[in-house]
Amino acid sequence: MTERRAILSGSTFEEQIGYARAVVDGDWVHVSGTTGFDYTTMTISDDVVEQAEQCLRNIEAALTEAGCGFADVVRVRYLLPDREDFEPCWPSLRRRFGEVRPAATMLVCGLSDPRMKIEIEVCARRRLA
């Protein structure tokens, strides 16, 4: 039987909508689309780069709880309402993914809250000992 467990971040969205921040399924870790909210205070910056940094901190916390890290990410999706906001985030993204080189997609789309300027989703594969 494959191990399957949910990882919760404490975000009120998880409870209200009914999802987990991440799901560990065997050696795969699926991290839900993660926005720039600080889940401890449920606040969000107006700055897209700071939102991207907070997304990455939120993702890192989920990956760590799952027993892996950015080095294990194989797929990343970036979702932004404004395509002009993507390039300013590149240095932050490169710091986390530049050595890893996961498959990536950027989509321009609406997000569920107008304060949200970026959402990032990742899939990782844990390297089990």
Side-chain angles (χ1 to χ4, degrees):
M1 202 72 183
T2 300
E3 170 200 7
R4 185 175 192 274
R5 70 180 167 98
I7 294 174
L8 305 176
S9 70
S11 162
T12 58
F13 298 129
E14 293 167 18
E15 180 63 30
Q16 293 168 344
I17 299 169
Y19 71 96
R21 173 62 39 220
V23 174
V24 177
D25 188 10
D27 57 347
W28 288 100
V29 179
H30 304 274
V31 181
S32 296
T34 303
T35 64
F37 273 93
D38 177 333
Y39 296 133
T40 59
T41 62
M42 288 309 292
T43 58
I44 192 167
S45 171
D46 288 334
D47 179 70
V48 69
V49 174
E50 179 48 40
Q51 283 193 28
E53 288 288 343
Q54 185 62 53
C55 288
L56 294 163
R57 286 190 292 272
N58 294 339
I59 290 167
E60 183 174 35
L63 290 172
T64 298
E65 189 170 336
C68 60
F70 285 114
D72 300 300
V73 172
V74 297
R75 181 81 170 107
V76 61
R77 287 183 187 89
Y78 306 107
L79 301 96
L80 296 95
D82 183 352
R83 76 182 76 248
E84 300 301 318
D85 281 342
F86 191 44
E87 191 170 348
C89 298
W90 290 359
S92 297
L93 304 175
R94 189 171 39 254
R95 275 193 296 281
R96 278 23 169 258
F97 300 117
E99 297 293 318
V100 180
R101 305 284 180 153
T105 300
M106 183 278 219
L107 298 166
V108 175
C109 60
L111 299 178
S112 66
D113 183 315
R115 296 173 293 173
M116 297 172 180
K117 296 183 178 188
I118 187 168
E119 185 170 326
I120 303 172
E121 172 188 355
V122 304
C123 184
R125 187 162 187 201
R126 297 188 301 171
R127 294 177 236 179
L128 302 176

